[in-house]
Amino acid sequence: MERNPLFPLAAFALLILLSVFSLLGYLLAARRYPGPPPPTGILVETEEGPRLLRGRLARTPEAWARGLGLRQEGLEALLYLFPEATDAPFSAEGYRFPVVVAFLDGEGRVLKVAHLRPGESVSPGTAYRGVLEVREGLLALRPGDRVAPSGTASPGP
């Protein structure tokens, strides 16, 4: 029985092809999960005057689910902005510290403020387009205050 002389060449080519596809898969997977974006400044205008907080913008439900009380980073605030209004409840389930949650309208005005301890949740009772989450005791928020992203924040102390 005579062996086909192209068999070793075909096996070698298949091995090379599999190696190339494995490398491409690895590169695509590494590109798919980039690190978090750099902290941004969040400008909060209250009756006491403007205050710039070091925080992050969260634009996806997955980022919203990873609230301030669950993150390992030393951030002062998280700002969630939604493409459409929602009235979904906000939960501090699994949080390690209390937070103040401000529900925002489409223009960044505070509609309602809630103080949550770890494990608590709140239903705002109104439609909102964003949420500002701040560590408890950092800032006194009231309805009517304004919130806006302001660019890259300087590194904190």
Side-chain angles (χ1 to χ4, degrees):
M1 179 169 178
E2 191 173 318
R3 203 193 265 190
N4 188 342
L6 294 178
F7 179 74
L9 183 61
F12 182 72
L14 183 61
L15 181 63
I16 296 295
L17 196 59
L18 286 174
S19 298
V20 168
F21 283 133
S22 294
L23 178 63
L24 286 176
Y26 175 77
L27 292 175
L28 287 175
R31 184 171 165 232
R32 184 175 177 188
Y33 300 108
T40 187
I42 299 172
L43 182 63
V44 181
E45 297 175 4
T46 65
E47 289 180 1
E48 290 80 31
R51 171 99 184 253
L52 185 64
L53 302 176
R54 184 174 179 264
R56 284 205 195 283
L57 293 177
R59 297 184 183 272
T60 64
E62 295 80 19
W64 182 19
R66 291 188 59 233
L68 190 64
L70 294 173
R71 293 177 185 254
Q72 300 295 322
E73 311 166 70
L75 299 175
E76 296 174 316
L78 287 177
L79 177 59
Y80 308 109
L81 301 173
F82 304 110
E84 296 179 4
T86 182
D87 62 351
F90 190 93
S91 174
E93 186 68 35
Y95 279 31
R96 297 181 314 267
F97 52 81
V99 293
V100 176
V101 179
F103 298 95
L104 311 173
D105 67 8
E107 297 171 358
R109 282 190 305 261
V110 175
L111 300 170
K112 186 175 182 178
V113 177
H115 299 264
L116 299 177
R117 290 186 305 247
E120 292 182 333
S121 64
V122 63
S123 293
T126 185
Y128 58 94
R129 291 285 304 268
V131 175
L132 175 68
E133 184 180 336
V134 180
R135 292 176 183 268
E136 181 73 50
L138 182 68
L139 181 66
L141 292 168
R142 295 179 195 88
D145 291 348
R146 288 190 161 286
V147 178
S150 72
T152 304
S154 60

